[in-house]
Every structure is written in structure tokens, then in C-alpha cells.
Amino acid sequence: MRIVSLIMVCISLSAFGQNGSYNNKTERDAIKCAARLLAAYYPPDELCVSDSIYDLDWFYFADVVDDKTKQEISNYRTEKKYIWSPPIYSHNMAELFGTHNCECTSYKYVAQFSAPYNNLIRCDILPGDRRIGIYGSPTITSFLFIFNDQGEVDQMFRDELHID
């Protein structure tokens, strides 16, 4: 019985940690700035920002960033002990981008954001039906945003990831 209770507490704390993303002003400003930058690629009526936080990989961008950022990127999985977390609903994301949940197919694209990590934010853009790979789109667009202490995005990197 104690073991089950301990496991439930650990799961709750893990979920709370990711759900606590974008709590402070700097992170909130950074995610709003990143979403505004995405509007240059995707019209707002075609892009839905998901109300969940995703555990995305960062290594795709290691070759295009400076050495300090490259080190941050390489530390990410190590700090997480190579454990991938499932998506977690974020009240903060729902509050920032509206109450829709991107389940409808009226949007052409869905933006899936990571939790902020050392002034970095990752984002993957999926088709509205979220079908990728063999049964859907063979590529997705991926973004890396680097923001400063005022929540302004200083650098943005974009890459196409081939799924098939």
C-alpha cells in the first residue's frame, strides 16, 4: 500500500512540474513571442497551439547553434536520465492560447511546444490530423527558440524533420 502511495505521489509531482511550465512572466512572454513568430510561416486561422506540454528532442539543432547552446542541448536528455515523458495538459498553455484543444480538424497545423529549458523552447508543427510517418505526412517542421531574460526571442532556428 505504501509503495502504491509513493508511486502516485511521484507521478503527481512529475505532472505538476511540467504543468508548472510557463508560470513566470519571462517564460510566458517567450512562448507568446515564439507563437507570434510562427505566424510568419502559418496563418493564425490555420495554426492551433496545443494546450499540452511535449517532451521534444533537441539534438536536431546541435549543429546550428553556438557552443554554449550546444552544451545545453546535449545536457537535456542526460538531466532527464533518458526518460521521455508523455504530453501533459497545461492550464497555462490553455490560458495563453485559448480554450480549444486542437482535437478538431478545422486547423491545418498543430504547434506542439516543449517546456522551457535554460532559455530554450522547442516546437514541432504537425498536420492538423497529427498523422505523420507511413500513414501521414513524411516531414514535420521543427523550431528552436532562444529567448533572453526579458522573454524576447533572440534567435530562431527552423528545420524539416523527415519521418519516413
Side-chain angles (χ1 to χ4, degrees), residues 70-105:
K70 185 181 293 192
Q71 188 61 46
E72 297 291 336
I73 287 172
S74 67
N75 289 342
Y76 178 74
R77 279 289 158 215
T78 305
E79 287 181 19
K80 291 191 62 137
K81 297 181 170 97
Y82 298 94
I83 297 173
W84 280 259
S85 304
I88 295 183
Y89 171 79
S90 169
H91 175 73
N92 294 331
M93 293 294 281
E95 182 182 279
L96 285 168
F97 298 106
T99 58
H100 56 278
N101 62 10
C102 299
E103 294 302 322
C104 64
T105 57

Side-chain angles (χ1 to χ4, degrees), residues 5 16 25 27 33 38 60 72-73 90 94 100 103 108 125 129 137-138 141 151:
S5 297
F16 178 76
K25 181 177 177 0
E27 291 175 351
C33 184
L38 289 177
Y60 308 114
E72 297 291 336
I73 287 172
S90 169
H100 56 278
E103 294 302 322
K108 190 171 180 181
I125 306 296
D129 62 6
S137 175
T141 304

